Amino acid sequence: MALLGGIEAGGTKFVCAVGTGPDDLRAEVRIPTTTPKETISQVIDFFRQQIGQMGELAAIGIGAFGPVDVCANSPKFGWFLNTPKPAWQQIDFAGMITRELAVPVGFDTDVNAAALGEYRWGHGTGLETFIYLTIGTGIGGGGIVGGQPIHGLLHPEMGHILIPHDLSVDPFVGACPFHQDCLEGLASGYAMEKRWHQRAESLPADHPAWPLEAHYLSTGLINFILTLSPERIILGGGVMAQPRLLPLIRSQVRERLRAYLEVPKIMTDIDNYIVPPKLGNKAGIMGAFVLAQQAVR
């Protein structure tokens, strides 16, 4: 199989890799997300070094934080648009990679890429529809229908849905610079740090942060279930590393749906309906390999 490059461009770090799949990962590096000039220069240097050692790449796949332009016929295809990430607005990322490395580039959101990775090698295999959400520094969501990511006007921005916010229970105003108390503004890792004055990973399991986090995330999931009717929901991202959180979310989803959807996957088998990624933290970079394969074809 032709050698591929992959980039998982996240708000905290860029993961770059060379290989063909989960069983053939030949080189990998993590680069902190700082300024576009500094970060992208390091990305290009990594691939140049790997090309020098291993030979040419057939293509590079990129899964990037958003919003980004994923429309292949758009003059801004592969650009970062008005992202909340400071200094990263209106950056021609895919174009820079194409010009500097002279390879075809496949491009989508980081969560759509992770969903593609899970569709090819993980918990999405064999399903017609599912969604993947990452709960990390931000919140993003990607949907797969018939093996293809959902695109439309742009791409799904599931992290920015507006959900009920009871200020008497949670007086935190929200952390999203565009919407304040959207799902990302209330439940992302960044929002948790702003609300509780410490990072999510440092909060103990019995901290009141976790039932509140489960409340907001289950609210979002219920909206997605009732709107998209996915066959499975995959939850990734650093915030989900707290072992208590996933059982709380499952319990609240089932309880708050109030038996409206009497389907076995929710009523009696929810542990196999809302699941962590089978590929773990490799889902995004494996999805980038899938995007690279699609670019070759």
Side-chain angles (χ1 to χ4, degrees):
M1 187 178 292
L3 197 60
L4 306 169
I7 303 171
E8 182 185 6
T12 303
K13 64 181 180 300
F14 278 41
V15 180
C16 302
V18 172
T20 61
D23 299 323
D24 181 27
L25 188 59
R26 306 188 192 184
E28 185 178 15
V29 69
R30 284 165 170 75
I31 298 168
T33 307
T34 56
T35 65
K37 181 178 180 180
E38 183 177 44
T39 303
I40 295 172
S41 294
Q42 292 181 62
V43 168
I44 291 168
D45 287 346
F46 167 79
F47 284 111
R48 283 179 175 157
Q49 181 181 7
Q50 302 312 312
I51 290 169
Q53 294 174 356
M54 302 183 198
E56 295 298 319
L57 302 177
I60 293 176
I62 302 172
F65 64 86
V68 289
D69 193 329
V70 297
C71 301
N73 60 353
S74 168
K76 285 192 172 183
F77 172 70
W79 285 52
F80 289 104
L81 301 177
N82 290 330
T83 172
K85 184 71 177 175
W88 284 84
Q89 296 85 4
Q90 303 299 322
I91 300 293
D92 181 13
F93 182 33
M96 293 180 187
I97 298 299
T98 301
R99 289 189 294 271
E100 292 294 330
L101 298 173
V103 294
V105 168
F107 187 85
D108 213 313
T109 66
D110 51 355
V111 280
N112 270 346
L116 281 171
E118 286 289 311
Y119 180 76
R120 178 73 178 274
W121 292 292
H123 282 317
T125 302
L127 298 180
E128 184 68 19
T129 64
F130 70 94
I131 62 174
Y132 183 107
L133 283 97
T134 183
I135 319 298
T137 304
I139 295 179
I144 298 291
V145 176
Q148 297 297 321
I150 297 173
H151 291 159
L153 183 65
L154 189 63
H155 53 75
E157 278 289 350
M158 298 181 189
H160 291 271
I161 63 169
L162 305 180
I163 59 175
H165 179 195
D166 186 343
L167 287 165
S168 67
V169 174
D170 177 23
F172 177 65
V173 296
C176 174
F178 289 91
H179 314 115
Q180 283 197 312
D181 58 355
C182 59
L183 182 61
E184 179 174 289
L186 292 173
S188 66
Y190 179 69
M192 293 185 74
E193 183 177 355
K194 289 293 183 181
R195 179 190 287 106
W196 303 109
H197 307 294
Q198 58 186 113
R199 295 177 62 85
E201 59 264 32
S202 69
L203 295 170
D206 60 353
H207 196 281
W210 299 114
L212 183 65
E213 181 73 359
H215 171 78
Y216 287 133
L217 293 177
S218 64
T219 301
L221 295 194
I222 289 168
N223 283 317
F224 300 140
I225 291 167
L226 295 174
T227 305
L228 300 174
S229 196
E231 294 172 275
R232 179 166 285 160
I233 296 173
I234 302 172
L235 298 180
V239 173
M240 295 304 303
Q242 168 51 248
R244 187 185 178 199
L245 183 56
L246 186 54
L248 282 172
I249 293 170
R250 288 169 174 156
S251 174
Q252 290 199 29
V253 166
R254 185 165 52 194
E255 180 180 328
R256 296 173 67 195
L257 278 171
R258 299 181 183 275
Y260 179 70
L261 297 181
E262 291 190 7
V263 292
K265 283 187 177 180
I266 293 176
M267 300 307 296
T268 62
D269 195 28
I270 199 165
D271 288 1
N272 289 314
Y273 180 64
I274 302 174
V275 299
K278 183 176 180 180
L279 296 174
N281 62 9
K282 299 294 186 187
I285 201 66
M286 291 302 115
F289 285 165
V290 176
L291 290 170
Q293 290 173 341
Q294 293 175 351
V296 172
R297 291 195 296 267

